[in-house]
Amino acid sequence: MIARFPSIARLLKRRAKSEDGSIVVEGARKATGGKGRTRIVMTMAVFFGIYSTITGRLVYLGFQNPDLSGGPQSRVTASRPDIVDRNGEVLATDIKTASLFAEPRRIVDADEAIEKLATVLPEIDYEQTYHKLKSGAGFVWLQRQLTPKQQSDIMQLGVPGFGFRTEKRRFYPAGETSSYIVGLTNIDNQGISGMEKYIDEQGLSDLQASGLAVAKDLKPVQLSIDLRVQHIVRDEVATGMEKYRAVAAGAVVLNIKTGEVMAMASVPDFDPNNPYNAQDKDRLNRMSAGLYEMGSTLKSFTTAMALDSGKVTLESRFDASRPIRIGRQTIHDFHGKARVLSVPEVFIYSSNIGSAKEAEAVGIEGHREFLHRLGILEKMQTELPEVARPTEPKVWKQVHSITIAFGHGVSTTPLQTAVGCAALLNGGYLIQPTFLRRAQEQAMSVAKKVVSDKTVEGMRYLYALNAEKGSGRNARVPGYRVGGKTGTAEKVVNGRYSKDKNFNAFVAAFPMDDPQYIVLTIADEPRPEKPGMGATAASNAGVMAANIVRRSASMLGVKPDFSHENGATLVSYQ
């Protein structure tokens, strides 16, 4: 047994040679134990030092700013809610896409990597990409939002250090049809214009920053627009711009009972799925962000103001036999009758002289107050961020009141003009426009009474009369009782009114026996359709309005009534 353990045998021999072996063995044990404890303590001290260093380093790093070069921020792929029209048709939605990144520290040959990448992405900036790949960073973006084919082709290149991250990007099924309303997002899926920007301003950006913008929790945002009507409006203004060789055109369809914008388009526009030209200077939502002298459409407000003041009735008459001279200016009528005109005649003949005298009857302060009351000279309150502030003289003088009476001297937006005209026809209530769905009860809770019922009754009569006997004849649509007012304004060029460049507008309402909708169209610098023809609003903006009513009325729920000859009806006025 002892032979199997040589070390024990040697110990016993040593013990046998000693007179007091027990003491010898015990001393050896004590000597051995003291050295062992020293080694253990030293080992523990070393490990304690190592772990203390690691712990201290981790605590230090914990208080440092995170290294964002290691990957994209989480908000890059943050979700957005769908945007849908009033019928649930999708206008904007998120789709998944791949984005290419590189890890420069793993790139062996930057030149070779770029040469291979250029075979798939020929538009890539060689110099910029080279600096990225030679930066030594842990992560750099090379190209965002690739197509599936591009991703597949790059993967087949087999370049070490290239990788892909799945992101979300915005897709707009309607394309340019609703581009100015829906708006745009940037490369990081953040709203930068239109309703996309409005949604972010309502708290979505905060949700994205906190990581709480989860797709399943985001309800669709339902707009007021009807995509079917929106398509018609965009098609008509694009056709009109080409047909009349205008520099721009636009239109809006407004529910006058609720203030809902049913459709609105402005051309030139852009494709939000490929917005390479969205920042071009001619890409402007002219309906809400463009300021214009609205010409004779403002005579609607001049006549309404005169009637609402109580100083003028439809039976009142104004001498328009001679031009008005004030200072260095002389006010003429475009198609003058050179005689005394009744208020209806002032309206249907679009008399500048008669309108100026209506304004004189009310007075300068009353004139200014009325336009502010109807919101024409106030900044419009609505969800769309792109809204311009109207301009007016700092101090109104007599000459200003006279020229503003027929549409020169103040600038406002076409959408505001439509909203103001709606107030003259819907019972006298100013309702700020909305691009979100809104019931009539909700609209009335925020509506403001601005003109009397008697004034509304008179304006309905005048709109219907103008479509039957005046400048609005081209806007008539059989069965839909359309009324309206033209507006042809000379544009200011180099500080002077041009005789060759006009801004034309037409405001139509239907059905005139109980108006439901306003259609306002514009044509910027139109040319005659044919040699010898004029280029006034009746021959272009009025025709565009008629086409929109003809194509969209049934979709808007307006039933035709052919009991009135020529599609118009004269609203009785008592």
mmCIF file of all heavy atoms in Angstrom, residues 111-133:
data_model
loop_
_atom_site.group_PDB
_atom_site.id
_atom_site.type_symbol
_atom_site.label_atom_id
_atom_site.label_comp_id
_atom_site.label_asym_id
_atom_site.label_seq_id
_atom_site.Cartn_x
_atom_site.Cartn_y
_atom_site.Cartn_z
ATOM 1 N N ASP A 111 -10.119 51.406 -53.633
ATOM 2 C CA ASP A 111 -10.280 51.662 -55.069
ATOM 3 C C ASP A 111 -11.027 50.526 -55.753
ATOM 4 O O ASP A 111 -11.943 50.753 -56.557
ATOM 5 C CB ASP A 111 -8.907 51.854 -55.721
ATOM 6 C CG ASP A 111 -8.248 53.149 -55.295
ATOM 7 O OD1 ASP A 111 -8.829 54.214 -55.612
ATOM 8 O OD2 ASP A 111 -7.210 53.106 -54.633
ATOM 9 N N GLU A 112 -10.665 49.308 -55.440
ATOM 10 C CA GLU A 112 -11.318 48.163 -56.045
ATOM 11 C C GLU A 112 -12.778 48.080 -55.624
ATOM 12 O O GLU A 112 -13.669 47.787 -56.443
ATOM 13 C CB GLU A 112 -10.592 46.873 -55.652
ATOM 14 C CG GLU A 112 -11.211 45.627 -56.277
ATOM 15 C CD GLU A 112 -10.536 44.346 -55.812
ATOM 16 O OE1 GLU A 112 -9.668 44.424 -54.909
ATOM 17 O OE2 GLU A 112 -10.899 43.273 -56.318
ATOM 18 N N ALA A 113 -13.035 48.380 -54.341
ATOM 19 C CA ALA A 113 -14.402 48.329 -53.826
ATOM 20 C C ALA A 113 -15.289 49.347 -54.555
ATOM 21 O O ALA A 113 -16.433 49.046 -54.925
ATOM 22 C CB ALA A 113 -14.415 48.598 -52.328
ATOM 23 N N ILE A 114 -14.747 50.558 -54.786
ATOM 24 C CA ILE A 114 -15.530 51.593 -55.462
ATOM 25 C C ILE A 114 -15.759 51.228 -56.928
ATOM 26 O O ILE A 114 -16.850 51.435 -57.470
ATOM 27 C CB ILE A 114 -14.828 52.956 -55.347
ATOM 28 C CG1 ILE A 114 -14.731 53.378 -53.888
ATOM 29 C CG2 ILE A 114 -15.572 54.008 -56.140
ATOM 30 C CD1 ILE A 114 -13.925 54.632 -53.656
ATOM 31 N N GLU A 115 -14.768 50.695 -57.579
ATOM 32 C CA GLU A 115 -14.909 50.306 -58.984
ATOM 33 C C GLU A 115 -16.005 49.257 -59.146
ATOM 34 O O GLU A 115 -16.805 49.307 -60.085
ATOM 35 C CB GLU A 115 -13.584 49.780 -59.512
ATOM 36 C CG GLU A 115 -12.537 50.870 -59.741
ATOM 37 C CD GLU A 115 -11.209 50.305 -60.205
ATOM 38 O OE1 GLU A 115 -11.128 49.066 -60.389
ATOM 39 O OE2 GLU A 115 -10.254 51.092 -60.390
ATOM 40 N N LYS A 116 -16.046 48.303 -58.236
ATOM 41 C CA LYS A 116 -17.101 47.287 -58.306
ATOM 42 C C LYS A 116 -18.476 47.897 -58.017
ATOM 43 O O LYS A 116 -19.453 47.601 -58.706
ATOM 44 C CB LYS A 116 -16.801 46.171 -57.300
ATOM 45 C CG LYS A 116 -15.643 45.270 -57.683
ATOM 46 C CD LYS A 116 -15.493 44.131 -56.681
ATOM 47 C CE LYS A 116 -14.387 43.171 -57.116
ATOM 48 N NZ LYS A 116 -14.245 42.029 -56.167
ATOM 49 N N LEU A 117 -18.511 48.767 -56.998
ATOM 50 C CA LEU A 117 -19.792 49.373 -56.624
ATOM 51 C C LEU A 117 -20.345 50.240 -57.743
ATOM 52 O O LEU A 117 -21.561 50.296 -57.961
ATOM 53 C CB LEU A 117 -19.608 50.200 -55.350
ATOM 54 C CG LEU A 117 -20.868 50.811 -54.739
ATOM 55 C CD1 LEU A 117 -21.864 49.725 -54.364
ATOM 56 C CD2 LEU A 117 -20.521 51.648 -53.514
ATOM 57 N N ALA A 118 -19.466 50.906 -58.485
ATOM 58 C CA ALA A 118 -19.902 51.787 -59.570
ATOM 59 C C ALA A 118 -20.580 51.032 -60.703
ATOM 60 O O ALA A 118 -21.344 51.616 -61.474
ATOM 61 C CB ALA A 118 -18.714 52.580 -60.109
ATOM 62 N N THR A 119 -20.321 49.725 -60.817
ATOM 63 C CA THR A 119 -20.998 48.941 -61.857
ATOM 64 C C THR A 119 -22.484 48.790 -61.561
ATOM 65 O O THR A 119 -23.281 48.565 -62.461
ATOM 66 C CB THR A 119 -20.351 47.551 -61.992
ATOM 67 O OG1 THR A 119 -20.503 46.833 -60.760
ATOM 68 C CG2 THR A 119 -18.870 47.676 -62.331
ATOM 69 N N VAL A 120 -22.855 48.908 -60.282
ATOM 70 C CA VAL A 120 -24.266 48.814 -59.876
ATOM 71 C C VAL A 120 -24.852 50.199 -59.640
ATOM 72 O O VAL A 120 -26.005 50.467 -59.985
ATOM 73 C CB VAL A 120 -24.402 47.953 -58.597
ATOM 74 C CG1 VAL A 120 -25.873 47.845 -58.188
ATOM 75 C CG2 VAL A 120 -23.803 46.573 -58.813
ATOM 76 N N LEU A 121 -24.050 51.100 -59.054
ATOM 77 C CA LEU A 121 -24.494 52.458 -58.759
ATOM 78 C C LEU A 121 -23.605 53.449 -59.505
ATOM 79 O O LEU A 121 -22.708 54.058 -58.919
ATOM 80 C CB LEU A 121 -24.434 52.718 -57.247
ATOM 81 C CG LEU A 121 -25.209 51.758 -56.341
ATOM 82 C CD1 LEU A 121 -24.932 52.071 -54.878
ATOM 83 C CD2 LEU A 121 -26.699 51.824 -56.633
ATOM 84 N N PRO A 122 -23.827 53.623 -60.790
ATOM 85 C CA PRO A 122 -22.947 54.496 -61.592
ATOM 86 C C PRO A 122 -22.980 55.958 -61.161
ATOM 87 O O PRO A 122 -22.061 56.708 -61.455
ATOM 88 C CB PRO A 122 -23.481 54.322 -63.017
ATOM 89 C CG PRO A 122 -24.887 53.832 -62.852
ATOM 90 C CD PRO A 122 -24.889 53.014 -61.608
ATOM 91 N N GLU A 123 -24.051 56.367 -60.447
ATOM 92 C CA GLU A 123 -24.165 57.771 -60.055
ATOM 93 C C GLU A 123 -23.402 58.088 -58.775
ATOM 94 O O GLU A 123 -23.340 59.234 -58.342
ATOM 95 C CB GLU A 123 -25.648 58.133 -59.844
ATOM 96 C CG GLU A 123 -26.289 57.568 -58.572
ATOM 97 C CD GLU A 123 -26.689 56.107 -58.682
ATOM 98 O OE1 GLU A 123 -26.422 55.505 -59.745
ATOM 99 O OE2 GLU A 123 -27.280 55.574 -57.719
ATOM 100 N N ILE A 124 -22.763 57.098 -58.177
ATOM 101 C CA ILE A 124 -22.092 57.309 -56.894
ATOM 102 C C ILE A 124 -20.916 58.268 -57.049
ATOM 103 O O ILE A 124 -20.221 58.283 -58.070
ATOM 104 C CB ILE A 124 -21.623 55.955 -56.310
ATOM 105 C CG1 ILE A 124 -21.342 56.103 -54.813
ATOM 106 C CG2 ILE A 124 -20.407 55.416 -57.043
ATOM 107 C CD1 ILE A 124 -21.229 54.776 -54.091
ATOM 108 N N ASP A 125 -20.721 59.117 -56.061
ATOM 109 C CA ASP A 125 -19.631 60.093 -56.063
ATOM 110 C C ASP A 125 -18.340 59.376 -55.669
ATOM 111 O O ASP A 125 -18.173 58.955 -54.520
ATOM 112 C CB ASP A 125 -19.950 61.220 -55.074
ATOM 113 C CG ASP A 125 -18.957 62.370 -55.151
ATOM 114 O OD1 ASP A 125 -17.741 62.104 -55.072
ATOM 115 O OD2 ASP A 125 -19.390 63.525 -55.287
ATOM 116 N N TYR A 126 -17.419 59.256 -56.621
ATOM 117 C CA TYR A 126 -16.190 58.470 -56.403
ATOM 118 C C TYR A 126 -15.347 59.077 -55.286
ATOM 119 O O TYR A 126 -14.932 58.366 -54.355
ATOM 120 C CB TYR A 126 -15.369 58.402 -57.695
ATOM 121 C CG TYR A 126 -14.188 57.459 -57.624
ATOM 122 C CD1 TYR A 126 -14.282 56.162 -58.124
ATOM 123 C CD2 TYR A 126 -12.985 57.857 -57.047
ATOM 124 C CE1 TYR A 126 -13.198 55.290 -58.053
ATOM 125 C CE2 TYR A 126 -11.904 57.002 -56.974
ATOM 126 C CZ TYR A 126 -12.013 55.712 -57.475
ATOM 127 O OH TYR A 126 -10.939 54.854 -57.390
ATOM 128 N N GLU A 127 -15.098 60.387 -55.340
ATOM 129 C CA GLU A 127 -14.197 61.021 -54.371
ATOM 130 C C GLU A 127 -14.773 60.949 -52.959
ATOM 131 O O GLU A 127 -14.071 60.614 -52.000
ATOM 132 C CB GLU A 127 -13.949 62.472 -54.773
ATOM 133 C CG GLU A 127 -12.953 63.190 -53.867
ATOM 134 C CD GLU A 127 -12.666 64.613 -54.331
ATOM 135 O OE1 GLU A 127 -13.168 64.991 -55.413
ATOM 136 O OE2 GLU A 127 -11.941 65.320 -53.609
ATOM 137 N N GLN A 128 -16.048 61.271 -52.834
ATOM 138 C CA GLN A 128 -16.691 61.244 -51.521
ATOM 139 C C GLN A 128 -16.692 59.840 -50.941
ATOM 140 O O GLN A 128 -16.397 59.639 -49.750
ATOM 141 C CB GLN A 128 -18.119 61.778 -51.633
ATOM 142 C CG GLN A 128 -18.844 61.901 -50.303
ATOM 143 C CD GLN A 128 -20.275 62.385 -50.481
ATOM 144 O OE1 GLN A 128 -21.071 61.759 -51.194
ATOM 145 N NE2 GLN A 128 -20.607 63.497 -49.853
ATOM 146 N N THR A 129 -16.998 58.856 -51.785
ATOM 147 C CA THR A 129 -17.032 57.477 -51.319
ATOM 148 C C THR A 129 -15.642 56.995 -50.927
ATOM 149 O O THR A 129 -15.472 56.259 -49.934
ATOM 150 C CB THR A 129 -17.616 56.561 -52.413
ATOM 151 O OG1 THR A 129 -18.892 57.053 -52.815
ATOM 152 C CG2 THR A 129 -17.783 55.134 -51.903
ATOM 153 N N TYR A 130 -14.630 57.411 -51.691
ATOM 154 C CA TYR A 130 -13.250 57.021 -51.370
ATOM 155 C C TYR A 130 -12.865 57.519 -49.973
ATOM 156 O O TYR A 130 -12.290 56.784 -49.170
ATOM 157 C CB TYR A 130 -12.297 57.579 -52.418
ATOM 158 C CG TYR A 130 -10.842 57.233 -52.160
ATOM 159 C CD1 TYR A 130 -10.326 55.993 -52.536
ATOM 160 C CD2 TYR A 130 -10.005 58.147 -51.523
ATOM 161 C CE1 TYR A 130 -8.996 55.672 -52.289
ATOM 162 C CE2 TYR A 130 -8.674 57.832 -51.275
ATOM 163 C CZ TYR A 130 -8.177 56.598 -51.660
ATOM 164 O OH TYR A 130 -6.869 56.283 -51.399
ATOM 165 N N HIS A 131 -13.183 58.773 -49.673
ATOM 166 C CA HIS A 131 -12.852 59.324 -48.356
ATOM 167 C C HIS A 131 -13.595 58.581 -47.251
ATOM 168 O O HIS A 131 -13.050 58.383 -46.154
ATOM 169 C CB HIS A 131 -13.189 60.813 -48.306
ATOM 170 C CG HIS A 131 -12.244 61.675 -49.098
ATOM 171 N ND1 HIS A 131 -10.873 61.648 -48.910
ATOM 172 C CD2 HIS A 131 -12.454 62.589 -50.088
ATOM 173 C CE1 HIS A 131 -10.296 62.494 -49.733
ATOM 174 N NE2 HIS A 131 -11.235 63.077 -50.467
ATOM 175 N N LYS A 132 -14.814 58.179 -47.522
ATOM 176 C CA LYS A 132 -15.562 57.412 -46.518
ATOM 177 C C LYS A 132 -14.888 56.071 -46.240
ATOM 178 O O LYS A 132 -14.727 55.670 -45.083
ATOM 179 C CB LYS A 132 -17.003 57.185 -46.992
ATOM 180 C CG LYS A 132 -17.908 58.397 -46.920
ATOM 181 C CD LYS A 132 -19.318 58.032 -47.347
ATOM 182 C CE LYS A 132 -20.260 59.217 -47.223
ATOM 183 N NZ LYS A 132 -21.654 58.865 -47.611
ATOM 184 N N LEU A 133 -14.504 55.391 -47.319
ATOM 185 C CA LEU A 133 -13.927 54.056 -47.157
ATOM 186 C C LEU A 133 -12.522 54.103 -46.547
ATOM 187 O O LEU A 133 -12.061 53.102 -45.982
ATOM 188 C CB LEU A 133 -13.885 53.334 -48.511
ATOM 189 C CG LEU A 133 -15.243 53.048 -49.158
ATOM 190 C CD1 LEU A 133 -15.066 52.256 -50.441
ATOM 191 C CD2 LEU A 133 -16.158 52.304 -48.194
#
